[in-house]
Amino acid sequence: MKMINNDWKEILDNQFKQGYYKNLDEFIKNEYKTKAIFPIKEEIFNAFELCSFSNTKVIILGQDPYHNFNQAHGLAFSVLKGNRIPPSLRNIYNEVRSDLGINTPNHGELTSWAEEGVLLLNTILTVEHNKPLSHKEQGWEIFTDNIIKQINEDNRPKVFVLWGNNAIAKKKLITNRKHLVLTSSHPSPLSARHSFIGSKVFSKINVFLKKTNQEEIDFLIK
């Protein structure tokens, strides 16, 4: 697994020493040896590598990685260039266009958002080929809950974006009133119409960042 070389290192190292993580690590190592697992080992912690703790202004929670070859690369909702834009991400792009007037790109890679300060964090960081949620309840949820708690404790105002019931369930971890929590239905075609479409989540993020004297996020996909 890739070593983190920014200010997440101490936070993540603290988790790596915990008993639950040692069990998770053993499970993950065995899975990679015997099965097709995504993302590749070197990209499991890409969300942290591309968006340092000090630069994190927005946290968007996903569930688990895409489960086919050459899609997942460690960022929630993002797919490597060369893939068809997934339906949920297509709806996200449509909302960005409707809300901010930004044209939809021809790819689904969200690296530029991560570099802007958006932590694109799945609650489960690995998955077996063609088996969504196959690494559920192996320890990743403990890991990511602890990361959310760590971010919550930091007093620099942040925006937590929780789409769908799985993400909204994490709201209980966000107790610091300095942060803004935005919730809606999931952008999946099955549920986007309930409250995601027209939510203007992206302009709300930037209004909050401006109000708290922070640089706004450039949501243009490079």
Side-chain angles (χ1 to χ4, degrees):
M1 294 184 193
K2 190 174 182 180
M3 296 299 295
I4 302 298
N5 295 309
N6 59 28
D7 55 3
W8 279 110
K9 180 173 170 44
E10 186 177 347
I11 295 167
L12 299 189
D13 280 350
N14 184 51
Q15 295 303 311
F16 297 157
K17 294 171 187 172
Q18 305 299 318
Y20 85 86
Y21 190 86
K22 290 175 182 176
N23 293 333
L24 169 62
D25 190 47
E26 201 62 38
F27 167 77
I28 293 299
K29 284 177 180 175
N30 189 60
E31 289 286 284
Y32 275 98
K33 283 178 185 174
T34 58
K35 300 169 185 173
I37 305 298
F38 308 118
I40 62 172
K41 282 188 286 187
E42 293 77 14
E43 294 181 340
I44 293 174
F45 300 110
N46 243 7
F48 305 103
E49 187 69 34
L50 292 169
C51 182
S52 68
F53 183 81
S54 57
N55 194 41
T56 297
K57 293 181 279 190
V58 180
I59 302 90
I60 297 179
L61 288 185
Q63 193 159 8
D64 70 336
Y66 296 112
H67 51 84
N68 218 328
F69 289 96
N70 202 40
Q71 290 182 311
H73 64 116
L75 302 180
F77 295 102
S78 178
V79 289
L80 288 165
K81 290 177 182 177
N83 286 281
R84 183 178 63 87
I85 298 171
S88 291
L89 184 55
R90 177 71 62 184
N91 282 334
I92 291 169
Y93 282 172
N94 288 343
E95 185 62 24
V96 172
R97 186 178 69 243
S98 170
D99 188 7
L100 301 177
I102 293 174
N103 288 331
T104 298
N106 61 3
H107 65 85
E109 188 174 312
L110 302 179
T111 297
S112 61
W113 282 11
E115 292 171 344
E116 278 285 307
V118 182
L119 185 69
L120 295 157
L121 181 64
N122 280 315
T123 55
I124 302 163
L125 299 190
T126 54
V127 70
E128 184 181 343
H129 177 225
N130 273 345
K131 292 186 178 179
L133 297 176
S134 50
H135 288 181
K136 184 180 180 181
E137 296 176 355
Q138 296 293 337
W140 280 129
E141 295 92 338
I142 301 171
F143 177 84
T144 50
D145 278 3
N146 287 340
I147 295 302
I148 293 167
K149 290 174 187 176
Q150 189 76 38
I151 299 169
N152 174 66
E153 288 172 7
D154 187 64
N155 279 326
R156 288 171 300 123
K158 296 171 187 59
V159 185
F160 288 84
V161 179
L162 311 179
W163 291 326
N165 292 335
N166 179 68
I168 291 170
K170 305 298 181 181
K171 188 175 180 180
K172 64 181 182 292
L173 304 175
I174 307 159
T175 57
N176 190 333
R177 293 187 178 183
K178 289 185 178 289
H179 307 315
L180 174 66
V181 180
L182 298 174
T183 64
S184 78
S185 60
H186 195 277
S188 159
L190 296 173
S191 58
R193 68 186 184 279
H194 296 309
S195 58
F196 175 78
I197 295 172
S199 62
K200 298 191 178 299
V201 60
F202 301 101
S203 58
K204 288 175 181 175
I205 288 168
N206 278 339
V207 165
F208 178 80
L209 292 175
K210 189 173 182 180
K211 181 181 174 183
T212 53
N213 301 309
Q214 299 181 77
E215 194 171 335
E216 297 169 81
I217 301 293
D218 179 2
F219 284 107
L220 179 68
I221 301 292
K222 278 59 167 195

